Amino acid sequence: MAGRIREKLEGKELKLFCILSILLLFAAGMFGSSWEGLGDWSTVRRLWTIVISRDALITDYFELAGYGAAFINSMFVMAIGFVLLCIKRVKFTGLTMAAFFINMGYALWGKNPLNILPILFGTLSYARRHGVQLSSCIYTALFGTCLAPLVTELVFILPFAKPVNLLFAIGAGMFIGYVLPTFSLHTATMHKGYNLFNVGFSAGVVAFVLVCVLKALGLESGSVLIWRAESPLWIVTGLYGYFIMTFLYGLFLNKGDVKSFLKIHRHSGKAAADFVLLEGVGSTLMNMGLMGITCCAYICLIGGDFSGPVVGAILAAFGFAAFGAHVKNYLPVLLGVYLSTLVNQYQPTTPSMQLAAIFVVGLAPIAGKFGVIPGMIAGLLHSAIVTCTTEMYGGLNLYNNGFSAGWVAIVMVPGLEGHKKGTGIIGRCKERIAGLLREKHNQSTRAENNEFVKWEE
């Protein structure tokens, strides 16, 4: 019976998992609305509140509109990406999981079905203009929706009538979607794949330039902090149940075998490490489940909040456990962020530090490639940089941690690679000594050969 089910699921495992996740979001939305004592029309009105409100960092939809509307909003955002990939018949891989679940997570604090559309249409325009298949840049479009708050913000800060502001906002969103595919390719070479949130880095640069232009015109946007400091039991248990279900689903697909799951931990995680292609669907789902459980456990241990941003961050890390992250390379960078709170001015439960602790998963490849100590240092640096970068673009780049992680990788990786290759001071000394020994050996060999020639003569 089990074998027959696995046979029918073959090639459709991830697609089915995404459909079930969308349905679970709907169920969470309905339960959240009833838990808050709201009717269906109240949920619809609150969903509209999400659409027409500013989305700059940090805007917690749990606090802004309630749990029910936030989860329904997340369902719509994830469904748009799912339908788009199905229409283009894109194969579901680890990168698909990363794109889906980062959008699912950020739809709890920044993305909605309307502010992401201009960016998606912009990438569609890029594909048509350059004669390439949309499937080749669809993931950049999905990740690029991190600048969706900029689209919303222009409606509020431009000095024209609202309809005109809306047209400018749509145009700006399409421009962002148009330039990101090529720009993100260039930024990937800067950190050499050690920042899993590459589009977050490239989008941060684009947002910085656009915000500077707006400031020059006298139009400024500031970051905000709307945060629900609660941890409802139904959300905590629901997340644990979802992640355990994911792990068991992967174990079922693997026929109870954990060997390929353990092999995932041998990979450094440096992009592009698509675990679905490397180790299979079952092992990847098991890794995703374990990552989700680990992130939830950390927030529970520090007494943190299961707010919209934190739940969204956990879902993003859950997705990237299919594309480069696993517990072995994540724990060192997580420890680095936690240790930073013992010496800096922040507490582990400070909102920015809670998010940094989860999103530092983007730097997991540094620990995977260079070891525990460099991973901890990366976490320490990330916690310092991430608190400074939000103001650079007025909170309009949702992937602020991805932008910060890019700078950490750019600063650390050249030195780490140089040391690993032996091009540092110690390495040069070793190379010089080895060169002298080789030269002495060659001189001795030449002398022996000369003596042998003389003897023959």
Side-chain angles (χ1 to χ4, degrees):
M1 180 66 179
R4 189 177 303 172
I5 294 174
R6 278 190 288 265
E7 185 177 341
K8 289 184 178 180
L9 287 175
E10 189 172 355
K12 307 171 186 175
E13 303 94 338
L14 292 178
K15 187 175 290 189
L16 175 63
F17 181 72
C18 290
I19 293 173
L20 290 175
S21 298
I22 292 172
L23 294 175
L24 284 174
L25 282 173
F26 178 76
M30 292 297 98
F31 181 85
S33 296
S34 62
W35 187 77
E36 294 170 311
L38 300 175
D40 294 340
W41 286 111
S42 295
T43 302
V44 172
R45 285 195 295 269
R46 292 192 175 203
L47 186 61
W48 180 246
T49 299
I50 290 175
V51 172
I52 63 174
S53 298
R54 293 183 63 225
D55 303 302
L57 291 175
I58 298 172
T59 303
D60 184 348
Y61 289 167
F62 285 175
E63 179 67 19
L64 179 70
Y67 295 109
F71 282 120
I72 295 296
N73 181 70
S74 181
M75 179 199 72
F76 280 124
V77 170
M78 189 174 181
I80 288 172
F82 180 81
V83 171
L84 192 58
L85 285 180
C86 289
I87 289 174
K88 294 300 176 181
R89 298 182 180 179
V90 178
K91 183 180 179 181
F92 281 53
T93 65
L95 185 57
T96 313
M97 296 296 99
F100 269 162
F101 287 98
I102 199 170
N103 278 331
M104 177 181 176
Y106 272 102
L108 300 177
W109 61 303
K111 298 182 182 182
N112 64 62
L114 293 185
N115 67 6
I116 67 173
L117 288 180
I119 297 173
L120 295 176
F121 281 128
T123 305
L124 176 62
S125 299
Y126 170 85
R128 287 183 176 178
R129 172 68 178 80
H130 294 275
V132 299
Q133 293 293 327
L134 179 61
S135 58
S136 65
C137 52
I138 186 63
Y139 292 116
T140 302
L142 292 173
F143 288 123
T145 54
C146 61
L147 292 182
L150 180 58
V151 176
T152 304
E153 192 70 11
L154 289 175
V155 178
F156 288 92
I157 66 174
L158 289 176
F160 313 109
K162 279 291 190 290
V164 179
N165 289 358
L166 181 60
L167 289 176
F168 273 106
I170 293 172
M174 293 186 66
F175 171 77
I176 290 167
Y178 190 89
V179 301
L180 274 179
T182 51
F183 191 60
S184 60
L185 291 177
H186 288 283
T187 56
T189 62
M190 297 174 66
H191 54 75
K192 298 184 177 180
Y194 288 97
N195 173 22
L196 295 178
F197 303 137
N198 175 53
V199 177
F201 180 69
S202 57
V205 176
V206 173
F208 174 68
V209 173
L210 293 177
V211 168
C212 287
V213 172
L214 291 174
K215 284 186 177 181
L217 297 173
L219 305 172
E220 293 194 34
S221 172
S223 57
V224 297
L225 180 58
I226 301 174
W227 184 276
R228 174 164 285 191
E230 294 180 2
S231 298
L233 182 62
W234 69 276
I235 287 183
V236 178
T237 55
L239 284 173
Y240 272 114
Y242 177 61
F243 297 142
I244 292 172
M245 179 199 74
T246 302
F247 186 90
L248 294 177
Y249 178 44
L251 188 64
F252 169 76
L253 294 176
N254 261 15
K255 302 178 182 179
D257 184 18
V258 298
K259 291 182 180 178
S260 55
F261 161 64
L262 296 175
K263 286 181 182 179
I264 285 179
H265 297 81
R266 300 177 186 175
H267 297 283
S268 68
K270 179 184 175 184
D274 192 316
F275 293 149
V276 171
L277 301 179
L278 292 170
E279 303 297 344
V281 175
S283 300
T284 301
L285 289 168
M286 293 166 70
N287 189 57
M288 291 170 66
L290 184 60
M291 178 64 74
I293 292 170
T294 302
C295 293
C296 285
Y298 175 80
I299 298 300
C300 289
L301 288 172
I302 65 171
D305 310 309
F306 280 82
S307 60
V310 170
V311 173
I314 291 172
L315 290 172
F318 172 75
F320 271 91
F323 193 74
H326 48 73
V327 172
K328 185 179 178 181
N329 65 6
Y330 171 54
L331 287 180
V333 290
L334 172 62
L335 181 59
V337 173
Y338 177 77
L339 291 177
S340 72
T341 63
L342 303 180
V343 296
N344 62 24
Q345 59 180 319
Y346 304 103
Q347 299 297 319
T349 53
T350 302
S352 60
M353 287 299 102
Q354 291 188 58
L355 295 177
I358 305 301
F359 280 123
V360 77
V361 70
L363 289 170
I366 290 181
K369 182 70 174 181
F370 302 108
V372 174
I373 300 301
M376 291 171 61
I377 295 172
L380 286 163
L381 283 176
H382 180 74
S383 66
I385 294 174
V386 76
T387 58
C388 301
T389 51
T390 305
E391 299 301 326
M392 291 177 61
Y393 32 72
L396 298 180
N397 174 24
L398 289 175
Y399 299 169
N400 180 47
N401 278 270
F403 182 67
S404 305
W407 285 113
V408 173
I410 289 170
V411 169
M412 288 189 64
V413 169
L416 290 170
E417 285 189 339
H419 176 72
K420 193 174 182 65
K421 293 176 182 177
T423 56
I425 294 176
I426 296 175
R428 288 197 297 271
C429 289
K430 289 181 179 179
E431 188 177 342
R432 179 60 176 163
I433 292 171
L436 291 173
L437 291 174
R438 283 195 300 270
E439 182 61 26
K440 185 176 181 180
H441 174 73
N442 291 337
Q443 289 177 355
S444 176
T445 302
R446 284 196 296 270
E448 289 177 358
N449 289 338
N450 289 337
E451 290 295 326
F452 181 74
V453 170
K454 289 180 181 179
W455 179 80
E456 278 193 330
E457 291 177 348

